[in-house]
mmCIF file of all heavy atoms in Angstrom:
data_model
loop_
_atom_site.group_PDB
_atom_site.id
_atom_site.type_symbol
_atom_site.label_atom_id
_atom_site.label_comp_id
_atom_site.label_asym_id
_atom_site.label_seq_id
_atom_site.Cartn_x
_atom_site.Cartn_y
_atom_site.Cartn_z
ATOM 1 N N ALA B 227 45.935 -23.371 52.107
ATOM 2 C CA ALA B 227 45.368 -23.542 53.431
ATOM 3 C C ALA B 227 46.379 -24.144 54.447
ATOM 4 O O ALA B 227 46.385 -23.774 55.577
ATOM 5 C CB ALA B 227 44.117 -24.377 53.343
ATOM 6 N N VAL B 228 47.294 -24.995 53.956
ATOM 7 C CA VAL B 228 48.231 -25.668 54.848
ATOM 8 C C VAL B 228 49.120 -24.639 55.570
ATOM 9 O O VAL B 228 49.130 -24.556 56.807
ATOM 10 C CB VAL B 228 48.994 -26.813 54.152
ATOM 11 C CG1 VAL B 228 50.079 -27.310 54.994
ATOM 12 C CG2 VAL B 228 47.983 -27.888 53.788
ATOM 13 N N PRO B 229 49.898 -23.930 54.819
ATOM 14 C CA PRO B 229 50.747 -22.900 55.530
ATOM 15 C C PRO B 229 49.971 -21.908 56.335
ATOM 16 O O PRO B 229 50.364 -21.535 57.439
ATOM 17 C CB PRO B 229 51.507 -22.248 54.425
ATOM 18 C CG PRO B 229 50.809 -22.521 53.192
ATOM 19 C CD PRO B 229 50.082 -23.773 53.365
ATOM 20 N N ALA B 230 48.797 -21.558 55.826
ATOM 21 C CA ALA B 230 47.999 -20.555 56.548
ATOM 22 C C ALA B 230 47.583 -21.110 57.915
ATOM 23 O O ALA B 230 47.700 -20.424 58.953
ATOM 24 C CB ALA B 230 46.759 -20.165 55.758
ATOM 25 N N SER B 231 47.154 -22.339 57.949
ATOM 26 C CA SER B 231 46.648 -22.985 59.174
ATOM 27 C C SER B 231 47.798 -23.077 60.126
ATOM 28 O O SER B 231 47.643 -22.829 61.331
ATOM 29 C CB SER B 231 46.043 -24.310 58.924
ATOM 30 O OG SER B 231 45.042 -24.187 57.952
ATOM 31 N N LYS B 232 48.980 -23.463 59.599
ATOM 32 C CA LYS B 232 50.132 -23.612 60.524
ATOM 33 C C LYS B 232 50.483 -22.312 61.206
ATOM 34 O O LYS B 232 50.645 -22.235 62.403
ATOM 35 C CB LYS B 232 51.348 -24.086 59.699
ATOM 36 C CG LYS B 232 51.338 -25.573 59.474
ATOM 37 C CD LYS B 232 52.718 -25.938 58.936
ATOM 38 C CE LYS B 232 52.752 -27.425 58.539
ATOM 39 N NZ LYS B 232 53.611 -27.633 57.335
ATOM 40 N N THR B 233 50.528 -21.216 60.443
ATOM 41 C CA THR B 233 50.890 -19.976 60.922
ATOM 42 C C THR B 233 49.860 -19.532 62.021
ATOM 43 O O THR B 233 50.156 -19.019 63.084
ATOM 44 C CB THR B 233 50.912 -18.875 59.894
ATOM 45 O OG1 THR B 233 51.808 -19.320 58.868
ATOM 46 C CG2 THR B 233 51.365 -17.549 60.396
ATOM 47 N N LEU B 234 48.571 -19.780 61.661
ATOM 48 C CA LEU B 234 47.510 -19.381 62.564
ATOM 49 C C LEU B 234 47.669 -20.113 63.926
ATOM 50 O O LEU B 234 47.542 -19.471 65.024
ATOM 51 C CB LEU B 234 46.163 -19.670 61.948
ATOM 52 C CG LEU B 234 44.977 -19.224 62.730
ATOM 53 C CD1 LEU B 234 44.992 -17.695 62.837
ATOM 54 C CD2 LEU B 234 43.664 -19.657 62.125
ATOM 55 N N VAL B 235 47.904 -21.356 63.882
ATOM 56 C CA VAL B 235 48.066 -22.144 65.154
ATOM 57 C C VAL B 235 49.196 -21.506 65.973
ATOM 58 O O VAL B 235 49.148 -21.398 67.216
ATOM 59 C CB VAL B 235 48.290 -23.592 64.842
ATOM 60 C CG1 VAL B 235 48.655 -24.358 66.124
ATOM 61 C CG2 VAL B 235 47.027 -24.234 64.233
ATOM 62 N N LYS B 236 50.278 -21.144 65.301
ATOM 63 C CA LYS B 236 51.366 -20.584 65.967
ATOM 64 C C LYS B 236 50.995 -19.229 66.661
ATOM 65 O O LYS B 236 51.477 -18.915 67.745
ATOM 66 C CB LYS B 236 52.536 -20.316 65.018
ATOM 67 C CG LYS B 236 53.935 -20.525 65.660
ATOM 68 C CD LYS B 236 55.006 -20.181 64.649
ATOM 69 C CE LYS B 236 55.353 -21.297 63.735
ATOM 70 N NZ LYS B 236 56.452 -20.911 62.765
ATOM 71 N N ILE B 237 50.146 -18.487 65.975
ATOM 72 C CA ILE B 237 49.793 -17.135 66.515
ATOM 73 C C ILE B 237 48.946 -17.298 67.822
ATOM 74 O O ILE B 237 48.989 -16.567 68.726
ATOM 75 C CB ILE B 237 49.008 -16.344 65.442
ATOM 76 C CG1 ILE B 237 49.917 -15.939 64.335
ATOM 77 C CG2 ILE B 237 48.429 -15.097 66.073
ATOM 78 C CD1 ILE B 237 49.251 -15.253 63.180
ATOM 79 N N TYR B 238 48.114 -18.421 67.777
ATOM 80 C CA TYR B 238 47.198 -18.628 68.892
ATOM 81 C C TYR B 238 47.985 -19.130 70.130
ATOM 82 O O TYR B 238 48.342 -20.324 70.180
ATOM 83 C CB TYR B 238 46.112 -19.565 68.499
ATOM 84 C CG TYR B 238 44.842 -18.829 68.103
ATOM 85 C CD1 TYR B 238 44.812 -18.122 66.965
ATOM 86 C CD2 TYR B 238 43.721 -18.833 68.912
ATOM 87 C CE1 TYR B 238 43.720 -17.362 66.572
ATOM 88 C CE2 TYR B 238 42.612 -18.088 68.577
ATOM 89 C CZ TYR B 238 42.617 -17.356 67.407
ATOM 90 O OH TYR B 238 41.506 -16.616 67.123
ATOM 91 N N ASP B 239 48.138 -18.288 71.101
ATOM 92 C CA ASP B 239 48.854 -18.731 72.268
ATOM 93 C C ASP B 239 48.391 -17.713 73.334
ATOM 94 O O ASP B 239 48.694 -16.527 73.313
ATOM 95 C CB ASP B 239 50.324 -18.546 72.015
ATOM 96 C CG ASP B 239 51.167 -18.658 73.304
ATOM 97 O OD1 ASP B 239 50.573 -18.928 74.370
ATOM 98 O OD2 ASP B 239 52.358 -18.464 73.228
ATOM 99 N N ASP B 240 47.636 -18.183 74.359
ATOM 100 C CA ASP B 240 47.161 -17.219 75.270
ATOM 101 C C ASP B 240 47.818 -17.358 76.657
ATOM 102 O O ASP B 240 47.285 -17.002 77.652
ATOM 103 C CB ASP B 240 45.621 -17.191 75.386
ATOM 104 C CG ASP B 240 45.032 -18.611 75.518
ATOM 105 O OD1 ASP B 240 45.733 -19.450 76.024
ATOM 106 O OD2 ASP B 240 43.871 -18.819 75.110
ATOM 107 N N GLU B 241 49.000 -18.032 76.655
ATOM 108 C CA GLU B 241 49.745 -18.124 77.942
ATOM 109 C C GLU B 241 50.188 -16.712 78.324
ATOM 110 O O GLU B 241 50.409 -15.793 77.476
ATOM 111 C CB GLU B 241 50.941 -19.020 77.741
ATOM 112 C CG GLU B 241 50.705 -20.394 77.348
ATOM 113 C CD GLU B 241 49.896 -21.154 78.432
ATOM 114 O OE1 GLU B 241 50.317 -21.056 79.603
ATOM 115 O OE2 GLU B 241 48.910 -21.767 78.144
ATOM 116 N N ALA B 242 50.426 -16.498 79.622
ATOM 117 C CA ALA B 242 50.887 -15.251 80.132
ATOM 118 C C ALA B 242 52.272 -14.932 79.568
ATOM 119 O O ALA B 242 53.032 -15.793 79.247
ATOM 120 C CB ALA B 242 50.893 -15.266 81.616
ATOM 121 N N GLY B 243 52.569 -13.656 79.429
ATOM 122 C CA GLY B 243 53.887 -13.209 78.929
ATOM 123 C C GLY B 243 54.810 -12.821 80.088
ATOM 124 O O GLY B 243 54.439 -12.895 81.233
ATOM 125 N N ASP B 244 56.018 -12.367 79.670
ATOM 126 C CA ASP B 244 56.923 -11.821 80.644
ATOM 127 C C ASP B 244 56.469 -10.490 81.166
ATOM 128 O O ASP B 244 56.636 -10.172 82.351
ATOM 129 C CB ASP B 244 58.372 -11.689 80.037
ATOM 130 C CG ASP B 244 58.897 -13.007 79.545
ATOM 131 O OD1 ASP B 244 58.613 -14.024 80.158
ATOM 132 O OD2 ASP B 244 59.506 -12.979 78.488
ATOM 133 N N VAL B 245 55.872 -9.776 80.255
ATOM 134 C CA VAL B 245 55.209 -8.504 80.629
ATOM 135 C C VAL B 245 53.847 -8.577 80.149
ATOM 136 O O VAL B 245 53.546 -9.043 79.083
ATOM 137 C CB VAL B 245 55.947 -7.335 79.974
ATOM 138 C CG1 VAL B 245 55.230 -6.028 80.298
ATOM 139 C CG2 VAL B 245 57.464 -7.276 80.399
ATOM 140 N N ASN B 246 52.881 -8.204 81.006
ATOM 141 C CA ASN B 246 51.441 -8.274 80.628
ATOM 142 C C ASN B 246 50.900 -6.905 80.713
ATOM 143 O O ASN B 246 50.905 -6.227 81.734
ATOM 144 C CB ASN B 246 50.698 -9.222 81.520
ATOM 145 C CG ASN B 246 51.183 -10.674 81.343
ATOM 146 O OD1 ASN B 246 50.861 -11.336 80.462
ATOM 147 N ND2 ASN B 246 52.071 -11.107 82.267
ATOM 148 N N ILE B 247 50.302 -6.460 79.588
ATOM 149 C CA ILE B 247 49.785 -5.082 79.570
ATOM 150 C C ILE B 247 48.313 -5.168 79.136
ATOM 151 O O ILE B 247 47.972 -5.772 78.135
ATOM 152 C CB ILE B 247 50.567 -4.267 78.486
ATOM 153 C CG1 ILE B 247 52.067 -4.337 78.814
ATOM 154 C CG2 ILE B 247 50.006 -2.834 78.463
ATOM 155 C CD1 ILE B 247 52.928 -3.643 77.748
ATOM 156 N N GLN B 248 47.502 -4.508 80.002
ATOM 157 C CA GLN B 248 46.097 -4.369 79.584
ATOM 158 C C GLN B 248 45.971 -3.162 78.748
ATOM 159 O O GLN B 248 46.372 -2.060 79.109
ATOM 160 C CB GLN B 248 45.237 -4.284 80.848
ATOM 161 C CG GLN B 248 43.735 -4.152 80.514
ATOM 162 C CD GLN B 248 42.910 -3.909 81.751
ATOM 163 O OE1 GLN B 248 43.308 -4.190 82.852
ATOM 164 N NE2 GLN B 248 41.789 -3.300 81.518
ATOM 165 N N VAL B 249 45.339 -3.382 77.586
ATOM 166 C CA VAL B 249 45.116 -2.266 76.646
ATOM 167 C C VAL B 249 43.592 -1.944 76.632
ATOM 168 O O VAL B 249 42.817 -2.865 76.335
ATOM 169 C CB VAL B 249 45.605 -2.670 75.252
ATOM 170 C CG1 VAL B 249 45.364 -1.516 74.286
ATOM 171 C CG2 VAL B 249 47.031 -3.115 75.282
ATOM 172 N N THR B 250 43.225 -0.747 76.920
ATOM 173 C CA THR B 250 41.812 -0.428 76.935
ATOM 174 C C THR B 250 41.504 0.687 75.943
ATOM 175 O O THR B 250 42.125 1.769 76.016
ATOM 176 C CB THR B 250 41.357 -0.007 78.339
ATOM 177 O OG1 THR B 250 41.836 -0.962 79.239
ATOM 178 C CG2 THR B 250 39.832 0.012 78.376
ATOM 179 N N GLY B 251 40.557 0.409 74.999
ATOM 180 C CA GLY B 251 40.192 1.458 74.065
ATOM 181 C C GLY B 251 39.101 2.355 74.631
ATOM 182 O O GLY B 251 38.190 1.884 75.259
ATOM 183 N N TYR B 252 39.268 3.657 74.416
ATOM 184 C CA TYR B 252 38.245 4.655 74.857
ATOM 185 C C TYR B 252 37.986 5.473 73.652
ATOM 186 O O TYR B 252 38.787 5.552 72.719
ATOM 187 C CB TYR B 252 38.799 5.588 75.913
ATOM 188 C CG TYR B 252 39.016 4.992 77.277
ATOM 189 C CD1 TYR B 252 40.102 4.159 77.559
ATOM 190 C CD2 TYR B 252 38.130 5.143 78.312
ATOM 191 C CE1 TYR B 252 40.293 3.601 78.811
ATOM 192 C CE2 TYR B 252 38.264 4.596 79.545
ATOM 193 C CZ TYR B 252 39.352 3.817 79.728
ATOM 194 O OH TYR B 252 39.544 3.320 81.012
ATOM 195 N N GLN B 253 36.805 6.086 73.640
ATOM 196 C CA GLN B 253 36.581 7.118 72.627
ATOM 197 C C GLN B 253 37.308 8.344 73.004
ATOM 198 O O GLN B 253 36.994 8.995 73.941
ATOM 199 C CB GLN B 253 35.106 7.465 72.532
ATOM 200 C CG GLN B 253 34.276 6.427 71.716
ATOM 201 C CD GLN B 253 32.802 6.806 71.675
ATOM 202 O OE1 GLN B 253 32.263 7.361 72.638
ATOM 203 N NE2 GLN B 253 32.127 6.529 70.628
ATOM 204 N N TRP B 254 38.414 8.733 72.501
ATOM 205 C CA TRP B 254 39.204 8.146 71.423
ATOM 206 C C TRP B 254 40.640 8.189 71.807
ATOM 207 O O TRP B 254 41.368 9.148 71.433
ATOM 208 C CB TRP B 254 38.939 8.968 70.130
ATOM 209 C CG TRP B 254 37.555 8.766 69.653
ATOM 210 C CD1 TRP B 254 37.155 7.679 68.904
ATOM 211 C CD2 TRP B 254 36.368 9.520 69.921
ATOM 212 N NE1 TRP B 254 35.750 7.780 68.616
ATOM 213 C CE2 TRP B 254 35.288 8.886 69.258
ATOM 214 C CE3 TRP B 254 36.118 10.702 70.609
ATOM 215 C CZ2 TRP B 254 33.995 9.368 69.271
ATOM 216 C CZ3 TRP B 254 34.779 11.152 70.623
ATOM 217 C CH2 TRP B 254 33.777 10.513 69.960
#
Side-chain angles (χ1 to χ4, degrees):
Chain B
V228 169
S231 308
K232 278 192 186 146
T233 306
L234 186 62
V235 171
K236 214 184 274 178
I237 293 174
Y238 261 70
D239 167 6
D240 48 28
E241 298 297 313
D244 302 324
V245 176
N246 295 280
I247 304 174
Q248 180 187 337
V249 180
T250 312
Y252 290 78
Q253 279 179 327
W254 291 277

